Amino acid sequence: LAVRQGCQRLRQLHGGVRSGAAGGGQQLLHQRFARGDVLIGFVHRRLARLRHRSRLQRAELTQALSRLREHTTRDELTGLINRRHMRELMEQEHQRCIRSGRTFCLGVLDIDQFKKINDAHGQGAGDQVLRVVAEVLTQDSGALAVRLGGEEFMLLLRGRDAALRAEPLRVALPA
């Protein structure tokens, strides 16, 4: 608004010079244009800083959103998909199977005697056991491994040979 008003004032001054104003009017006009250039330069620099700050903030928000998504879809300890996200993925897979005629298999795993491991060796050892199980379950790139909670895990395997592919993963788990 201030720039627009300044431009209108310059037009008025310029009109006065054309209509025969004294030579001093022309000098005043040049001073006004110089002030306008300074103002435009200031506004331009200010806008550039604001745009830069906006880009930085947008990048920070994108990173924060990515971290938030990660926290809401992954188990913090194992890095596996969590129960909440698995529900969404199962529904998507079900719809995909209806459309394509493919099949999938779900396997539920429970670590036997896990409470005894925690009691005898401490929670740190129990956490390490959970991480090892998660690592073994992610060896099949076609499987989705999920930590349901505690010592319970689930595998979603796609394809007709899904049940056959689950067995080597079960056998690979230490007793």
Side-chain angles (χ1 to χ4, degrees):
L1 181 64
V3 172
R4 187 181 307 146
Q5 289 172 346
C7 289
Q8 288 173 348
R9 179 70 180 131
L10 286 173
R11 281 191 207 103
Q12 289 171 353
L13 287 173
H14 186 60
V17 170
R18 264 195 272 160
S19 64
Q26 207 166 23
Q27 184 180 12
L28 182 59
L29 179 65
H30 288 297
Q31 289 174 354
R32 296 287 183 169
F33 273 124
R35 285 185 199 152
D37 287 346
V38 169
L39 180 61
I40 290 171
F42 170 77
V43 170
H44 178 72
R45 287 187 302 276
R46 179 76 174 136
L47 281 173
R49 283 194 305 268
L50 288 172
R51 284 185 189 115
H52 177 70
R53 192 165 75 195
S54 175
R55 280 192 297 272
L56 291 176
Q57 288 174 339
R58 192 175 307 123
E60 288 173 8
L61 285 172
T62 300
Q63 289 175 349
L65 182 59
S66 177
R67 285 191 305 272
L68 183 60
R69 270 194 205 113
E70 186 73 18
H71 286 297
T72 60
T73 61
R74 297 280 175 176
D75 175 64
E76 187 176 359
L77 178 64
T78 63
L80 297 178
I81 295 168
N82 64 21
R83 176 191 299 254
R84 181 182 322 120
H85 189 52
M86 182 58 173
R87 288 182 186 143
E88 296 170 22
L89 293 176
M90 280 177 50
E91 181 58 34
Q92 290 172 8
E93 188 64 27
H94 181 249
Q95 294 302 319
R96 211 174 286 137
C97 287
I98 290 172
R99 287 190 307 270
S100 68
R102 294 184 320 167
T103 61
F104 70 94
C105 174
L106 292 176
V108 178
L109 298 95
D110 184 81
I111 302 174
D112 293 333
Q113 312 295 321
F114 185 72
K115 184 174 178 351
K116 287 183 181 178
I117 294 170
N118 267 345
D119 291 345
H121 304 286
Q123 190 174 359
D127 288 350
Q128 187 58 33
V129 168
L130 294 173
R131 286 188 201 101
V132 168
V133 169
E135 188 176 315
V136 169
L137 295 179
T138 56
Q139 289 176 356
D140 184 332
S141 60
L144 290 176
V146 180
R147 180 166 179 217
L148 295 175
E151 73 277 5
E152 295 178 329
F153 296 86
M154 179 186 287
L155 275 176
L156 183 147
L157 297 117
R158 298 174 183 102
R160 298 189 189 285
D161 64 341
L164 295 173
R165 291 190 353 254
E167 185 59 17
L169 296 175
R170 186 192 66 79
V171 171
L173 292 172

